[in-house]
Amino acid sequence: MTEGQTHMHDPMDALTLDGLRYVEVETSQFCNRRCQWCPNGHTLARREKNLMDWEVFTKITKELGSCGFDGFFAFHNYNEPLANPRLFDEIAQVRADVPDAKPAIYSNGDLFNRNLLEGMVEAGVKYLRITRYPRRADEEPTFDTLHTWLSKKKLLSGGIDWQYAAVRQGLSATWRDVFSGMKVEVIRPRIAGYNDRGGTAVVPRLLPVRTEPCRMTETSISVDYRGQMKMCCNVAPETGQHQEYIVGYVADFTLAELWNSPAMVDWRTRHAQADWTRSPACRTCVQALPETRR
């Protein structure tokens, strides 16, 4: 923890998680891909198959449950959640401890299949996003590519009616299960629209200085597999450039203490005014709030 970033509060302090709509917990470390437009393409950080300490994970879920959190709870950050052998146990724990939360899975889809889809419906997942990354950053998305992948995964039958459309990230195929309400979105992205993750990834364009405010620090919490709460999901501490954006460890503080820490309050205030003087990594970020955070 960086000195001065957070401090313990008196137990009588009424700290809350006001404004929080989206929680991203990297419950496992491993990712099977090495995309150049992701920090994983430039470090060895996601090649080990470590899992978040279970006590740390359940500390997070119980604290969210105690405050009545009803937003989205995602099991990823820079990892591939479908490579986590404990994933369905984690979903069940979230459902038990945070009954109003909406479990969400973000995946590259390499390990996905029809059985997993059916398992997620049964487990109570509310949102599933599969991003089918191209081989090259300059490759334009096509609906044919999406259709071919859906066919390969046997997802074109059994009452699944895909709706194809252009979206902010590129092209998508979307389906909602009428019984569970789970929304499934398969996206073929346009990498040219990606950001450089605060200088830790390579994207095929020059990025101007951001002039629009950012609401990420007002609406979302991101915790990595070590239990470190970060300023936002784009922070990649393994590169060495982003150590200053670690707020603290959830094993040592409550989520509310970290959420209301001096560092988070300062970033929140500055980012609402497009002031990046205390977070220079944000200067070229073009991250928009994901649709699930609305």
Side-chain angles (χ1 to χ4, degrees):
M1 177 181 66
T2 302
E3 182 179 356
Q5 282 196 310
T6 191
H7 61 276
M8 294 298 290
H9 291 77
D10 186 280
M12 298 303 292
D13 285 352
L15 293 179
T16 65
L17 294 171
D18 288 348
L20 182 64
R21 296 185 297 185
Y22 180 89
V23 175
E24 187 171 284
V25 182
E26 188 182 62
T27 57
S28 58
Q29 180 182 3
F30 179 73
C31 182
N32 61 305
R33 288 209 172 198
R34 306 288 176 262
C35 304
Q36 293 300 299
W37 48 87
C38 173
N40 291 352
H42 312 281
T43 74
L44 302 177
R46 293 296 178 277
R47 302 192 183 187
E48 300 292 330
K49 295 188 177 182
N50 294 315
L51 301 178
M52 173 178 278
D53 183 87
W54 187 255
E55 290 187 6
V56 172
F57 173 66
T58 57
K59 181 176 185 292
I60 293 171
T61 60
K62 292 182 187 305
E63 289 179 10
L64 290 172
S66 69
C67 73
F69 177 69
D70 61 359
F72 284 86
F73 187 110
F75 301 80
H76 83 295
N77 185 211
Y78 289 114
N79 62 322
E80 169 48 55
L82 297 190
N84 176 2
R86 201 178 63 183
L87 177 60
F88 281 90
D89 292 334
E90 295 170 358
I91 296 171
Q93 192 70 37
V94 169
R95 297 282 291 161
D97 290 346
V98 204
D100 294 329
K102 306 173 185 69
I105 306 293
Y106 290 64
S107 169
N108 60 41
D110 291 350
L111 305 176
F112 190 69
N113 56 49
R114 183 66 178 253
N115 288 338
L116 277 175
L117 175 62
E118 294 172 357
M120 288 179 186
V121 170
E122 184 176 345
V125 172
K126 294 302 179 185
Y127 180 71
L128 168 63
R129 176 181 292 183
I130 297 173
T131 305
R132 294 303 302 155
Y133 297 105
R135 294 178 180 274
R136 303 187 317 274
D138 61 354
E139 189 175 329
E140 283 294 305
T142 67
F143 288 119
D144 284 345
T145 304
L146 276 174
H147 189 83
T148 298
W149 184 83
L150 291 169
S151 177
K152 178 182 177 182
K153 295 292 183 176
K154 297 179 170 50
L155 296 171
L156 294 176
S157 61
I160 302 180
D161 182 21
W162 296 99
Q163 303 297 312
Y164 296 85
V167 292
R168 174 177 57 83
Q169 304 91 336
L171 302 177
S172 77
T174 305
W175 168 70
R176 188 182 296 274
D177 181 59
V178 295
F179 299 105
S180 68
M182 181 175 78
K183 179 181 179 181
V184 182
E185 195 169 23
V186 182
I187 294 176
R188 185 71 171 182
R190 182 174 289 105
I191 303 302
Y194 276 32
N195 74 75
D196 65 354
R197 300 278 186 172
T200 64
V202 177
V203 293
R205 62 170 174 151
L206 293 175
L207 297 170
V209 174
R210 180 172 183 149
T211 58
E212 295 181 358
C214 179
R215 306 293 181 185
M216 296 278 282
T217 46
E218 291 183 14
T219 59
S220 64
I221 279 178
S222 180
V223 181
D224 73 9
Y225 69 94
R226 289 162 293 217
Q228 296 180 132
M229 179 173 155
K230 308 184 296 182
M231 177 184 71
C232 79
C233 63
N234 287 302
V235 172
E238 295 84 4
T239 65
Q241 304 174 48
H242 288 183
Q243 287 292 323
E244 63 188 293
Y245 305 123
I246 298 171
V247 186
Y249 284 86
V250 297
D252 299 328
F253 302 94
T254 67
L255 290 177
E257 285 174 327
L258 295 170
W259 182 248
N260 293 284
S261 66
M264 284 299 293
V265 171
D266 186 48
W267 282 321
R268 206 171 284 139
T269 301
R270 292 176 183 274
H271 294 178
Q273 303 169 14
D275 176 358
W276 319 123
T277 54
R278 291 293 300 275
S279 55
C282 302
R283 288 169 55 84
T284 55
C285 180
V286 294
Q287 180 78 39
L289 292 180
E291 291 78 2
T292 53
R293 297 185 193 178
R294 292 176 183 166

